[in-house]
Amino acid sequence: MTQSLLHQILDYANRADPYPIYEELRKTPVHHEEDGPYVVGTYYEIRSLLHDPRISSDARNLASTARDPLAESAQEGSALPPSFLRLDPPEHDRLRRMTNRPFGPPHSPHRVDGMRGELRDIVAGLIDGIGDPGRIDLVEEFSYPFPVTVICRLLGVPREDEARFHTWADTIAASLDPDPDADPTERGKESHEARMQLGMYLAGLIEERRKKPGDDMLSELATAKGPDGAMTTMELLSTAALLLIAGHETTVNLVTNGMLTLLRNPDVLQRLRADPRLAVPVVEELLRFEPPVQLVPQRTPLADIEIHGVTIPKGASLWLVLASGNRDPQRFENPDRFDPDRRDIQHLGLGSGIHSCFGAPLARLEAQLALAELARRLENPRLLEDPPPYRQNAVLRGPRHLPIACDGIRP
Amino acid sequence: MNGDASLEQLRREGRVVIVGASLAGLRAAETLREKGFAGSLTMIGDEPYEPYDRPPLSKQVLLGMAGADRTALPRRRALDATWRLGVPATGLDMAAGRVRLADGDEVPYDRLLIATGVRARPWPHAAEAELDGVFVLRTRDDGAALARRLAERPKRVLVIGAGFTGSEIASACRERGLAVTVAERAAAPLVGALGGVVGAVAAELQREHGVDLRCGVMVTALEGDATGRVRAAHLSDGSSVETDVVIVSLGATRNTEWLAGSGLGAGPRGIACDAGCRAFDIRGIVTDDIYVAGDVARSPHALFGYQFLSLEHWGNAVSQAETAAHNMLSASSDRLPHLWMPAFWSSQFGVNIKSVGVPTLGTEIVVSQGSLADRRFVGVYGYQGRVIGAVAFDHARWLPFYQELIETTVPFPPPFPTVDRRPEGRRPVDADFPDPSVPTHGPTVTLSGYSPADRRMTFTPAH
Ligand SMILES: Cc1cc2nc3c(=O)[nH]c(=O)nc-3n(C[C@H](O)[C@H](O)[C@H](O)COP(=O)(O)OP(=O)(O)OC[C@H]3O[C@@H](n4cnc5c(N)ncnc54)[C@H](O)[C@@H]3O)c2cc1C
Ligand code: HEM
């Protein structure tokens, strides 16, 4: 018997190349099996659902009968209140607005750009630290530590605490990516423990920043006096945890997928080496071609809605497969070609609508600087394994290791 | 066969003339070249500048964040055009296929695009309009002069007319810490474009930001001092306002006078064209070599009962220009209809306002998301039981959904729950537009009936 489409999406055997399954998925506007989730994979339908005010991101609107095989891994599983990723307006808007005040325009137009120098230093430091150029695991040695360091600097975690922060972040990230051989209850306990410790650490830091604020984001959030007032400590904790989690695995995968794709397209790698400005269109095309968030599983309609004659009932679990929409030939010419010269590139890689990626400007800058610098400094880089071994996770999809070799590392 | 050959010849060595070298004119020219037009291209513009962008004039430029001379429109590609800048077109000979210029030159065309836009309606009393300190805002020169004057920190600025432009000007002045009075004939700002329910929100917004807002009044006279500088304005309620800067923001007049007597269907409401952007002549017959785009055009829209719409919208100018350019070079079966969904944005007093569809057609409004009191909401307009338009205050990300509702003619009020629906969102209320038979300076979308011939309308000055 052939496997159901849903199983194929989740099946680890398809992790290296899920795109043929998505092509199958796009043949029906809404895919639904038995009591499983309703799965949408075509560009225009996904985009309209992301802008549809009848669709909720709040798990409390899910009918108790809705079955979602991803529900467990998506659980934030802690005592914290839901972060704005899992809230609807007006709470979503209020928290996102308050978080944005110290982060982006109009109030803080220079926060991200102001980190450029620091990001360059982090990237340079990580590349300097690479051991044997003959065998590099790009994930371990570069992509993995990079975003956690960035979030630490953004939030204002003192340098001496960064190492502890990395440990918690790694444990939490690992719980999002269950290793089939590990004992699940043990994993759950570890991750719970890490969340508790992280929460306690952040609570302490917030307390300190309230007394002696710096110019970091956490200080500004902790002492905010904007029109929306201040966040409660609990809200602040979930927001800080959200920034860490939403900005970690995603960025790891963007950078890793990026290097993998460049190594598979040596002409583009060559062009990027010659002209670092190409990093901008390269990263956009990557977000379309190999998006780190393959699908958003956490949506549910507030009323029965109809899409091309299929009714998605109120309270059902709804998956929007962004990575499939990004390869929809109805939207993109030659969608399976990696082409940084594409001019028409409104991809879904960072979502769309009110939940569209909050960290997008930072994520883009991180990936641009990282890829441009890797292209410049690695001499004659090549893949040692293709495809590389992937993580379990079907949602936050990316290589677990990216073994590469090069002849040397330029200064 | 024959047709193909002549089209081929047109593409290779034809003469295209574009009158109006601004947003629509430039985008049309670029599209022509993109589509492989290799013939001669002449751009005629009465302003001495290369095409520039107007929206920043009432925003960044007045805030002193960008010079008026730094608003040049980004170029998509090289044009290889002959530019006749600083010279107005003064006449059109349709039979001979020639445009007459003010300097006596005549420019022959095989295809003509008219994109002469609109100009600011001046203060109706000429002598008062001449006073030093009285401004309008439409051009780069207007913007530069006004920005200079605001930088001298006048004691009070009076804005006459609280449509989008007037409100944006008031907002910029407040942001610069200047005292501002706004005088508006209607009961609230933005009423002409968005109706009284939303207008009331705009009024609160202005007052909260310290604007001295006076509604339901008209400015009856401007008074100058001995040196010819404006010093006060007199209002219909008997009061007066001492002021050293007056900005007249009473809407726009279509630039069609130069076509008088040409036989083209051009009048005070603009130039009528079909969905393919081809101009009508005064007999209501569509021409085949004259096209229209941008603010000066009025064109029928399938979604709004094929009534002629005039849109003063940036996005419409771009889209219509592209369609006109495409159609100019195409055989009739390859032509495209101009089906742009009206959309407009404005930023004022820290709020991003955006609308889709034709709110002015709406008789009712329902707040489907958020709340008027928070000034963060989506208002949906209904007309004859269907959704016809929507406006968002700081909620623009939801608008694509409402655009779809309009396109698919969903019933009004929309019969489903939405996130963040408040008690006020349960029942539609009268949208409270002013009597449509009284033209106002407010709306940015004007419906002008079914007739391509339009020379009857007379504008009754509001003030
Ligand atoms: C201050 C301001 C703020 C705005 N803000 C917004 C906004 O926020 N959002 C939005 O959607 N829209 C906004 N608009 C409207 C937008 O700028 C217009 O829709 C757009 O400029 C229309 O382009 P157009 O090319 O059709 O006409 P225009 O830009 O008016 O250009 C017409 C050109 O033709 C020239 N011309 C006229 N007669 C002749 C002649 N006889 N011979 C030669 N040349 C001639 C004119 O001088 C002008 O240069 C704003 C406009 C202004 C003035
Ligand atoms: C390459 C990296 C990234 C990718 C591909 C990515 C992708 C996404 C996507 C698809 C969403 C939408 C989720 C939904 O619709 O439910 C999202 C939301 C979000 N992202 Fe990112 N992200 C990246 C990096 C970051 C970074 C670096 C940060 C933090 C600094 C961040 C913070 C957030 C937050 C807070 C949200 C929730 C927004 C909301 O609900 O309003 N992301 N991201």
Side-chain angles (χ1 to χ4, degrees):
Chain A
M1 201 188 98
T2 54
Q3 251 185 335
S4 82
L5 211 53
L6 200 61
H7 277 102
Q8 292 183 55
I9 294 176
L10 297 174
D11 187 350
Y12 180 66
N14 294 318
R15 203 64 76 241
D17 184 14
Y19 298 103
I21 306 165
Y22 297 155
E23 189 178 338
E24 210 48 44
L25 173 68
R26 286 192 299 269
K27 289 184 179 158
T28 44
V30 181
H31 178 81
H32 181 231
E33 294 165 20
E34 305 276 313
D35 52 0
Y38 289 74
V39 187
V40 179
T42 43
Y43 181 91
Y44 291 105
E45 283 65 28
I46 294 173
R47 205 185 50 178
S48 48
L49 288 165
L50 286 170
H51 291 268
D52 193 324
R54 296 169 299 176
I55 306 292
S56 168
S57 283
D58 190 330
R60 289 167 289 195
N61 288 317
L62 267 175
S64 51
T65 49
R67 288 265 170 74
D68 184 340
L70 286 171
E72 209 118 325
S73 63
Q75 277 272 330
E76 286 176 26
S78 70
L80 293 177
S83 68
F84 63 83
L85 175 68
R86 304 303 312 268
L87 287 172
D88 291 337
E91 292 80 13
H92 165 274
D93 295 6
R94 181 178 62 90
L95 290 167
R96 180 161 172 150
R97 225 167 27 235
M98 287 201 278
T99 313
N100 190 57
R101 232 179 135 81
F103 182 73
H107 298 284
S108 310
H110 305 300
R111 167 79 65 188
V112 171
D113 203 56
M115 292 182 73
R116 198 177 272 272
E118 205 164 0
L119 295 181
R120 277 220 179 83
D121 292 346
I122 302 171
V123 167
L126 287 168
I127 299 179
D128 291 342
I130 286 175
D132 172 13
R135 187 166 182 98
I136 306 169
D137 179 358
L138 196 81
V139 176
E140 292 294 324
E141 298 181 57
F142 187 86
S143 324
Y144 217 70
F146 178 41
V148 179
T149 309
V150 174
I151 296 288
C152 284
R153 305 286 163 86
L154 180 71
L155 291 177
V157 172
R159 299 288 162 101
E160 61 271 24
D161 297 340
E162 276 184 13
R164 281 203 283 164
F165 213 84
H166 277 267
T167 314
W168 296 320
D170 291 356
T171 313
I172 296 170
S175 75
L176 298 177
D177 187 38
D179 177 347
D181 300 332
D183 174 3
T185 44
E186 192 53 33
R187 263 293 150 91
K189 261 181 28 209
E190 273 174 28
S191 132
H192 188 74
E193 185 66 14
R195 278 170 202 271
M196 292 291 290
Q197 288 189 12
L198 176 69
M200 269 151 52
Y201 172 80
L202 284 171
L205 193 59
I206 289 165
E207 209 43 53
E208 251 170 69
R209 295 297 185 242
R210 282 214 172 106
K211 287 192 213 113
K212 236 181 97 221
D215 57 6
D216 55 274
M217 215 174 131
L218 201 60
S219 293
E220 289 199 39
L221 287 174
T223 56
K225 280 191 242 19
D228 291 299
M231 286 190 199
T232 64
T233 300
M234 289 305 261
E235 285 172 340
L236 198 46
L237 283 174
S238 355
T239 303
L242 172 66
L243 293 178
L244 172 68
I245 294 168
H248 184 201
E249 202 79 1
T250 47
T251 311
V252 175
N253 290 340
L254 184 58
V255 173
T256 316
N257 290 341
M259 211 46 207
L260 174 62
T261 306
L262 287 171
L263 289 168
R264 285 172 176 167
N265 294 269
D267 52 320
V268 181
L269 181 60
Q270 183 53 41
R271 281 174 60 197
L272 176 60
R273 185 174 300 132
D275 181 4
R277 286 171 309 178
L278 192 68
V280 174
V282 161
V283 167
E284 279 328 285
E285 175 68 345
L286 271 173
L287 284 164
R288 184 193 72 81
F289 188 74
E290 286 277 34
V293 179
Q294 295 269 299
L295 61 105
V296 288
Q298 49 224 16
R299 290 292 197 283
T300 189
L302 295 173
D304 292 2
I305 60 169
E306 202 196 287
I307 297 174
H308 299 297
V310 181
T311 300
I312 307 178
K314 173 180 172 170
S317 162
L318 173 61
W319 290 5
L320 307 176
V321 189
L322 307 177
S324 169
N326 280 351
R327 299 280 189 117
D328 187 342
Q330 300 274 3
R331 177 62 184 80
F332 295 105
E333 255 173 65
N334 258 327
D336 293 324
R337 210 175 94 85
F338 176 71
D339 174 12
D341 300 324
R342 226 174 254 286
R343 287 175 77 189
D344 178 25
I345 171 112
Q346 279 214 7
H347 59 75
L348 301 170
L350 296 167
S352 189
I354 62 161
H355 291 280
S356 75
C357 182
F358 173 86
L362 180 60
R364 288 190 162 106
L365 188 61
E366 285 180 79
Q368 289 159 10
L369 292 176
L371 292 175
E373 204 53 11
L374 287 168
R376 187 182 72 80
R377 292 191 59 189
L378 303 186
E379 269 175 57
N380 186 26
R382 52 216 178 258
L383 284 172
L384 293 179
E385 250 179 86
D386 192 5
Y390 272 78
R391 293 177 198 287
Q392 289 291 331
N393 200 320
V395 177
L396 305 178
R397 166 181 166 269
R400 181 181 288 279
H401 304 286
L402 188 67
I404 61 174
C406 59
D407 297 345
I409 294 179
R410 290 190 190 84
Chain B
M1 280 287 93
N2 212 346
D4 280 0
S6 66
L7 258 184
E8 201 29 60
Q9 192 178 8
L10 174 75
R11 288 202 195 101
R12 223 176 32 245
E13 55 197 37
R15 300 161 303 176
V16 172
V17 172
I18 296 180
V19 184
S22 179
L23 180 62
L26 176 66
R27 292 298 176 239
E30 289 170 339
T31 308
L32 286 168
R33 291 297 189 215
E34 253 158 48
K35 304 233 173 232
F37 173 65
S40 79
L41 188 55
T42 308
M43 306 283 293
I44 300 167
D46 61 359
E47 295 187 77
Y49 309 113
E50 298 216 346
Y52 61 87
D53 208 17
R54 295 179 204 276
L57 295 179
S58 54
K59 306 176 180 80
Q60 293 88 331
V61 169
L62 293 191
L63 288 173
M65 281 156 47
D69 54 347
R70 304 298 295 277
T71 51
L73 281 163
R75 296 297 184 85
R76 289 188 192 158
R77 54 171 299 129
L79 274 190
D80 185 21
T82 306
W83 293 84
R84 305 290 307 263
L85 295 178
V87 196
T90 51
L92 168 67
D93 184 338
M94 287 170 65
R98 285 167 174 277
V99 174
R100 268 192 306 282
L101 303 190
D103 62 8
D105 265 8
E106 298 210 348
V107 188
Y109 63 83
D110 298 307
R111 292 285 185 278
L112 172 65
L113 176 72
I114 302 176
T116 45
V118 303
R119 65 180 179 278
R121 183 173 289 125
W123 183 243
H125 311 286
E128 295 175 12
E130 289 293 296
L131 290 170
D132 182 24
V134 177
F135 294 87
V136 292
L137 181 56
R138 178 76 198 175
T139 66
R140 199 179 122 168
D141 289 344
D142 296 340
L146 182 55
R148 226 174 7 251
R149 190 57 69 88
L150 295 183
E152 293 166 9
R153 306 210 63 80
K155 284 202 281 303
R156 175 164 297 273
V157 176
L158 169 68
V159 179
I160 307 178
F164 278 111
T165 306
S167 300
E168 286 185 359
I169 295 169
S171 167
C173 290
R174 287 305 301 143
E175 207 168 323
R176 299 189 71 155
L178 301 172
V180 182
T181 298
V182 172
E184 164 61 46
R185 182 187 56 168
L190 310 184
V191 161
L194 299 174
V197 175
V198 177
V201 180
E204 259 177 56
L205 198 59
Q206 295 213 359
R207 294 207 165 100
E208 199 167 276
H209 282 82
V211 173
D212 167 30
L213 174 66
R214 316 234 186 140
C215 294
V217 298
M218 292 189 265
V219 174
T220 51
L222 300 177
E223 186 189 321
D225 63 13
T227 66
R229 266 192 95 126
V230 68
R231 61 163 295 274
H234 300 283
L235 274 55
S236 57
D237 61 1
S239 67
S240 57
V241 176
E242 280 190 31
T243 177
D244 27 12
V245 174
V246 173
I247 302 154
V248 179
S249 193
L250 293 175
T253 306
R254 266 84 195 141
N255 290 319
T256 54
E257 291 80 355
W258 67 284
L259 295 164
S262 66
L264 206 63
R269 278 176 160 166
I271 306 167
C273 60
D274 72 356
C277 313
R278 296 178 299 179
F280 284 105
D281 69 16
I282 47 170
R283 303 164 301 173
I285 298 175
V286 75
T287 60
D288 217 19
D289 52 354
I290 304 180
Y291 290 73
V292 196
D295 282 8
V296 78
R298 45 189 295 262
S299 57
H301 203 303
L303 276 174
F304 307 103
Y306 292 98
Q307 280 206 60
F308 282 94
L309 295 185
S310 313
L311 302 166
E312 290 172 50
H313 293 176
W314 194 97
N316 178 65
V318 173
S319 152
Q320 199 167 20
E322 289 170 351
T323 305
H326 170 90
N327 289 350
M328 270 184 183
L329 301 177
S330 303
S332 57
S333 56
D334 298 332
R335 292 195 185 127
L336 299 171
H338 174 56
L339 282 179
W340 194 70
M341 170 66 71
F344 182 85
W345 85 95
S346 167
S347 52
Q348 44 184 281
F349 304 105
V351 174
N352 170 281
I353 302 177
K354 202 167 172 189
S355 80
V356 290
V358 186
T360 40
L361 258 185
T363 49
E364 290 178 287
I365 185 170
V366 68
V367 178
S368 62
Q369 293 178 247
S371 117
L372 297 173
D374 291 357
R375 275 173 237 131
R376 296 196 187 93
F377 63 90
V378 177
V380 184
Y381 294 86
Y383 172 66
Q384 295 185 345
R386 57 173 273 221
V387 174
I388 196 83
V391 62
F393 273 47
D394 278 345
H395 261 53
R397 285 171 192 253
W398 293 110
L399 282 185
F401 173 75
Y402 293 92
Q403 175 167 340
E404 262 175 56
L405 297 190
I406 300 165
E407 282 164 356
T408 51
T409 62
V410 161
F412 179 90
F416 43 72
T418 46
V419 291
D420 201 13
R421 180 80 68 104
R422 316 277 179 95
E424 65 191 283
R426 300 217 180 99
R427 214 167 37 86
V429 296
D430 185 349
D432 192 17
F433 278 100
D435 179 353
S437 64
V438 183
T440 75
H441 55 265
T444 59
V445 191
T446 313
L447 289 145
S448 52
Y450 297 91
S451 166
D454 165 54
R455 284 170 305 152
R456 278 161 312 168
M457 189 191 84
T458 50
F459 183 81
T460 344
H463 297 266

